Amino acid sequence: SIRETRLEVISALEAADVGSVNLVESADAARGAVEAMFQPSRYMSTPWTGINNVIRGWRPGGLYIIGARPSVGKSLIVQKTALELAKRGNVILETFEMSATEVATRLISSLTGIHLSRLSGARADGTTTLSDRDKTLIYEARDYLGSLPLRCGDRAATTLDIREHARDTSMRGPIAGIIVDYLGLMTSVGRVESRVQEVSRFTRELKRLAMEFDCPVIVACQLNRESAKDGTRPPSLTDLRESGSIEQDADVVILLSEDKASADAKNEDVGINADIAKNRQGPRRTIPLVRLGGTATIQDDPSRSIE
């Protein structure tokens, strides 16, 4: 289409411009590095204390991968991240798996503590289980979300679409984060030789977006089916689909898995282990979290410790 051709040309020109940056002398690089050491940190906190203690937060220019099997919690992680980053600046949440309305419903459930099942609409006779207090909380959450510089794209599917959204959003001010949910549903403009090459192009271009717009890019990614066959081991980097380029381009990879031993059959809360499998800026470690399924949120889990 004309639009796709235009975006391809713009992308190619921007890539050429990025590649034409002058070489930096080591003295200038060292001077800049030392100056940065004494300036306020540019890392932006994640919503989880344990993860912050290991990766410090989301770093502008960094590419972060959140990997998990379906229904473990990767979408909840990136949605809560979008909500938190929107307190710092403009945020783009590209969601390919659900509509913007579905995302907003989850966020309202998380903000209000009202069970998702009670936010699915009125009965046939027009009645609901919501109290007046519930309705007040819902309207307050709606207004709060409306006040945040958070934009949700539920139709994009290519890196060119994401770039166009980022360029448009940057006109409003600095971008605090670009979030993609999820990598497996992205597509390419034109033909590609293999899915491995296609994913390699995606991660390379997403990393370039992070550097170009000086913001963290946080990408949800699904793990291979093989990772679920052996329930005795935690997921590893090799469980990432087309893992080579993802592992290579990412600054941080966090792999989520359910902690079966902590599951309580009486409620919907399930322990989640967040394994920081790659951390270019620091150590690797596993952090205990808990998924509160009824209200679509993930929190720190102080009740568990992981060696």
Side-chain angles (χ1 to χ4, degrees):
S1 69
I2 294 176
R3 174 178 174 275
E4 290 173 343
T5 301
R6 177 175 63 83
L7 288 175
E8 282 188 309
V9 171
I10 292 173
S11 181
L13 290 173
E14 288 175 341
D17 183 61
V18 170
S20 65
V21 175
N22 291 330
L23 292 172
V24 178
E25 298 293 342
S26 61
D28 294 332
R31 190 180 302 110
V34 171
E35 288 176 357
M37 294 174 191
F38 298 96
Q39 297 295 323
S41 173
R42 299 186 66 220
Y43 281 80
M44 294 174 284
S45 296
T46 80
W48 306 281
T49 301
I51 292 178
N52 288 331
N53 290 339
V54 180
I55 69 171
R56 298 184 62 190
W58 311 117
R59 179 177 62 83
L63 176 61
Y64 296 81
I65 300 294
I66 311 296
R69 290 293 300 147
S71 302
V72 171
K74 60 183 180 297
S75 291
L76 299 184
I77 287 280
V78 297
Q79 288 167 12
K80 188 166 184 178
T81 292
L83 199 62
E84 190 70 20
L85 283 176
K87 299 175 184 177
R88 306 287 295 266
N90 292 289
V91 173
I92 303 166
L93 172 58
E94 304 284 5
T95 171
F96 309 145
E97 198 171 28
M98 62 186 70
S99 70
T101 299
E102 289 175 301
V103 171
T105 301
R106 284 186 168 204
L107 294 178
I108 289 172
S109 176
S110 179
L111 287 168
T112 62
I114 300 173
H115 198 287
L116 266 174
S117 64
R118 299 175 63 211
L119 301 177
S120 59
R123 303 187 185 96
D125 62 3
T127 61
T128 72
T129 62
L130 298 171
S131 66
D132 289 341
R133 174 60 178 163
D134 291 335
K135 293 174 183 177
T136 298
L137 291 174
I138 289 169
Y139 290 132
E140 288 176 350
R142 178 200 63 185
D143 293 342
Y144 174 67
L145 286 176
S147 71
L148 295 175
L150 172 60
R151 309 180 81 185
C152 186
D154 58 4
R155 294 292 182 269
T158 72
T159 53
L160 292 176
D161 292 323
I162 299 171
R163 178 179 293 279
E164 184 177 43
H165 291 172
R167 187 184 300 106
D168 181 67
T169 300
S170 67
M171 299 296 182
R172 303 183 174 194
I175 297 177
I178 298 172
I179 300 170
V180 179
D181 185 17
Y182 66 96
L183 187 67
L185 293 179
M186 291 183 64
T187 59
S188 293
V189 176
R191 298 179 60 184
V192 291
E193 293 185 13
S194 70
R195 181 61 178 173
V196 172
Q197 289 185 346
E198 188 175 37
V199 170
S200 178
R201 182 191 300 171
F202 292 157
T203 56
R204 184 171 61 250
E205 291 181 356
L206 289 170
K207 174 62 177 177
R208 198 172 72 196
L209 277 175
M211 298 179 69
E212 179 182 343
F213 290 96
D214 194 31
C215 69
V217 172
I218 302 151
V219 184
C221 181
Q222 192 158 298
L223 300 181
N224 288 318
R225 287 190 177 90
E226 286 73 14
S227 66
K229 291 180 179 178
D230 183 359
T232 63
R233 69 170 180 86
S236 66
L237 290 170
T238 56
D239 293 320
L240 289 168
R241 287 184 171 176
E242 298 86 24
S243 61
S245 64
I246 300 174
E247 179 183 351
Q248 175 181 310
D249 294 331
D251 293 277
V252 173
V253 178
I254 301 176
L255 303 177
L256 307 176
S257 59
E258 291 185 348
D259 183 67
K260 302 296 185 182
S262 69
D264 186 345
K266 296 181 181 180
N267 59 45
E268 300 171 89
D269 301 348
V270 177
I272 299 294
N273 295 332
D275 178 24
I276 301 172
K278 178 182 179 180
N279 183 10
R280 193 167 280 166
Q281 304 292 331
R284 294 179 296 173
R285 204 161 294 162
T286 301
I287 307 300
L289 304 174
V290 59
R291 184 184 72 223
L292 309 180
T295 54
T297 193
I298 290 183
Q299 299 178 351
D300 287 301
D301 187 357
S303 69
R304 292 189 300 128
S305 61
I306 301 174
E307 298 296 331

